[in-house]
Amino acid sequence: MNEFGHHPIEAFALGGLGEIGKNMYGLKIRNEIIIIDVGIKFPDEELYGIDYVIPEYAHLVNQSQNVKAIFITHGHEDHIGGLPYLLKQVNVPIYAGKMALGLIENRLEEHGLLRQADLREINDETIVKFSDSTVSFFRTTHSIPDSFGVVVSTEDGNIVHTGDFKFDFTPVGPPANLKKIAQIGEEGVLCLLSDSTNSEVPGFTLSESVVKSSIESVFHETSSRIIFSTFASNIHRIQQVVESSIQNGRKMAVVGRSMEKAIGIAREIGYIEAPDSSFIRLNQLDLFPRHQVTIICTGSQGEPRAALARIADGNHKQIKLMDGDTIVLSSSPIPGNTVSINRIVNKLMYAGAEVIHHKTKEIHTSGHGGQEDQKLMLSLLKPKYFMPIHGEYRMLKKHAELATTCGVPDENCFVMDNGDILAVSKDHAFIRGKFKAQPVYVDGNRVGQIGNKVIEERRSLGENGLVIVALTIHKADKRIISGPSIVSRGFVYIKDSMPLIRAGENQLGLTLKTFVSEEQANCPSIKQEVSRFLKKFFYQETGRRPIVLTAITEVE
């Protein structure tokens, strides 16, 4: 039943609520659906073997004829990474800023989808009109160029999505369009969807200009080789490294596929300006004195396959650590990565390098606004209804609390889950229902074929190991001819645990001797009995339950 007396606006998230990553939000105005961002989430350590996590798209696929366009707020992977997977099911125009478009083109080309994609460039003067809404944009400040907020104007009022933002009054790169943000607020905002990432962080986020000064001081004071590691998408930061390298007479080598692509795109569209002669190939590193070299690489989050990890492990084919190298980690740890980062820092320091990171120098700042940034956005836009987005539950909850201090009534703040549908009109707002919005796992070329059961099996295998049991049974008279023989993989080291293995074999043999002679015994039931017995036996002996695989050979 419709409480509003007319078809309301619906706001929903397929991803990005209760989590960091896979940001994807939707607005349905009458029968038109607009999508804002299509991101991925990088797996945590419990998702064994998973490459990415993407939203479930079924809610959109079922009404794909109503989806009019996708609007991208900026070019980070947690906002664009899911596009290749969505476009295979729902192909509509994609609107994005210049930097994001370059990154999207690369992504789609890798998946063989670039030719079929309809890509359209936007800026903060762009206006896109549909039957029941008009979409416009305002420039924000983030850690990547061409970041935009989105305004969807409807007959009921304006719906605003901030994208990722902070208020940086001395930015590196174009400033946020504060005048336009204030004008939107004066026009009136029916509902605001706003970035909650740093809602627990007091104050304003540190300006990028402070980081610029720190980077300049590092280059001015360092007489050794500098290896600078940051996010490939942090173009403003990389621009500062390029400028400092040129000013200090250093040649630059770029390492890492994603870093090479990002810098290539940024140079092509003019966001990084440097002569070709400033860059050298890796095989030219030995041609220059150490104090004339900067290496720009990926791996600031401790990713095991990234360039910095391979350098730290001594496995990089062309870059070997030298005593006295200065390593700069220009990022702060993403939750879950602290252990990996500390491990790499230890390896780098053990090899004789000096490591500079956010705890030792102001070498990094977040692209997300703190509490004061968020309150300023709320105060400028003055929304009637508020839906915090992009954050774990505690972040969303805290952002809603901040909104109430800025004049939004508590009953007008909606802390939601992925799949919840917020119905909004000029007079009312309430959560009217829910659709299925489960995570979908990408494992190589397999999308959605790996479910929770497989993940749980991988987790169990990783934590408890594997036991393989082989036995041969006479098919006719149901007697064991040979076995059971037990082999351990990742459970216990056999040479050190032979008494345990032999005890398991002997007791399992006695149990099976009776079991297999029963008339109803067959291969499936025997395998089930082997698994039941050994899991119980090994748990009693070791406190662990390995996965048990049984191979049965039947002979006549």
Side-chain angles (χ1 to χ4, degrees), residues 13 61 63 71 88 118 121 123 161 167 223 340 497 525 548:
V61 174
Q63 45 188 336
F71 294 95
K88 292 174 184 177
D118 182 358
E121 186 179 326
N123 56 46
H161 183 299
F167 287 102
S223 58
S340 299
S497 306
S525 66
V548 178

Side-chain angles (χ1 to χ4, degrees), residues 151 186 212 260 405 493:
V151 183
E186 290 304 313
K212 181 180 180 180
E260 290 173 2
T405 67
Y493 184 49

Side-chain angles (χ1 to χ4, degrees), residues 463-483:
E463 293 174 352
N464 299 306
L466 172 70
V467 165
I468 303 168
V469 181
L471 66 153
T472 302
I473 296 175
H474 193 281
K475 190 173 183 180
D477 56 15
K478 304 287 185 181
R479 58 187 171 82
I480 298 175
I481 296 175
S482 66

Side-chain angles (χ1 to χ4, degrees), residues 115-131:
R115 286 188 177 183
Q116 72 183 59
D118 182 358
L119 303 179
R120 306 182 186 186
E121 186 179 326
I122 62 169
N123 56 46
D124 59 356
E125 299 298 322
T126 302
I127 296 176
V128 183
K129 294 185 177 182
F130 301 104
S131 298

Side-chain angles (χ1 to χ4, degrees), residues 117-148:
D118 182 358
L119 303 179
R120 306 182 186 186
E121 186 179 326
I122 62 169
N123 56 46
D124 59 356
E125 299 298 322
T126 302
I127 296 176
V128 183
K129 294 185 177 182
F130 301 104
S131 298
D132 295 306
S133 64
T134 300
V135 181
S136 57
F137 310 91
F138 57 92
R139 185 175 293 277
T140 60
T141 302
H142 189 42
S143 55
I144 188 171
D146 295 331
S147 297
F148 295 99

Side-chain angles (χ1 to χ4, degrees), residues 15 20 33 43 64 75 143-144 197 204 209 220 226 303 311 322 440 442 481 523 555:
I20 298 294
I33 297 175
S64 58
S143 55
I144 188 171
T197 309
F204 284 98
S209 64
H220 181 70
I226 294 176
E303 306 96 313
I311 293 170
M322 300 180 185
V440 173
V442 179
I481 296 175
C523 284
V555 296

